[in-house]
Amino acid sequence: HFRDILLSAVFCAAALWTKQSVAGLVIALLIFIFLVGSKRSALQWLLIFGLAMAVLAASFAPFSFKEMWLNMTFLGKKPPTGPFWDVLVLEFVRLCQESFWALLLIGLFGWIFKPNESGRERSLSSLKAWANKNLWVVFPWVGIFMIPMSLITRSKIGGDINSLSPVIYFLTAGAV
């Protein structure tokens, strides 16, 4: 179990360091680990993730941090290609058109949170039990958390359709 947490945190740090628009991955994995594991597991993951980010930052010490920071944040500082909310809505529509799985996933989460057979809403403990039996749900879970940053990155000047790729990859993996 610790090995899984270690690998997950290290590779998540590497992914975030490589492409900052996958910031949703950090939140999604932390919540998912808490959901299927425990508070202790989530804290272990967060600590290892922080250490991995520190090691990655230290490995770039010989280079100019100022230049590296500029390149890491350059696209994020660019203005949107039009009125911000209009662009976000347009890109969300495009995402749904290009990924049937996004709509399927919305239906899946609707099913998870619908009332159960007794008419009561599902509780966190039943969701936790369901997620432990269905670990594949981590893929669509991450895909959903990737949507906001993918849309924001896509809507900026210089953003391209490949900004939506992380969402589509994770949603497709979850559907398979």
Side-chain angles (χ1 to χ4, degrees), residues 11-31 45-46 49 53 72 141-153 163 166-167 170:
F11 284 119
C12 183
L16 182 62
W17 193 264
T18 305
K19 187 146 181 81
Q20 294 71 41
S21 62
V22 299
L25 179 65
V26 177
I27 299 165
L29 288 179
L30 185 60
I31 293 171
W45 186 91
L46 191 58
F49 173 79
M53 289 298 288
M72 285 174 59
W141 177 262
V142 168
I144 286 175
F145 276 83
M146 299 289 240
I147 290 173
M149 283 301 291
S150 292
L151 292 176
I152 290 170
T153 305
S163 299
V167 175
F170 281 101

Side-chain angles (χ1 to χ4, degrees), residues 23-107:
L25 179 65
V26 177
I27 299 165
L29 288 179
L30 185 60
I31 293 171
F32 190 79
I33 290 167
F34 176 74
L35 184 65
V36 300
S38 65
K39 187 177 183 180
R40 183 173 187 259
S41 298
L43 289 174
Q44 283 178 335
W45 186 91
L46 191 58
L47 177 66
I48 294 167
F49 173 79
L51 289 173
M53 289 298 288
V55 168
L56 286 168
S59 69
F60 281 84
F63 306 103
S64 166
F65 184 77
K66 183 178 178 182
E67 291 297 319
M68 182 185 66
W69 185 255
L70 173 72
N71 289 316
M72 285 174 59
T73 61
F74 184 68
L75 185 60
K77 290 181 180 176
K78 289 188 174 186
T81 56
F84 188 67
W85 292 109
D86 294 347
V87 173
L88 283 182
V89 169
L90 178 67
E91 293 306 329
F92 183 73
V93 169
R94 174 179 266 172
L95 174 64
C96 291
Q97 288 171 340
E98 294 181 11
S99 178
F100 168 74
W101 306 116
L103 297 175
L104 184 65
L105 192 59
I106 291 169

Side-chain angles (χ1 to χ4, degrees), residues 101-141:
W101 306 116
L103 297 175
L104 184 65
L105 192 59
I106 291 169
L108 171 69
F109 277 91
W111 175 83
I112 290 172
F113 291 109
K114 74 174 184 160
N116 60 19
E117 292 74 32
S118 66
R120 292 179 296 167
E121 287 190 20
R122 297 177 193 271
S123 66
L124 181 60
S125 61
S126 66
L127 177 60
K128 190 173 187 146
W130 182 85
N132 271 304
K133 287 188 234 171
N134 299 282
L135 292 175
W136 60 268
V137 81
V138 71
F139 295 110
W141 177 262

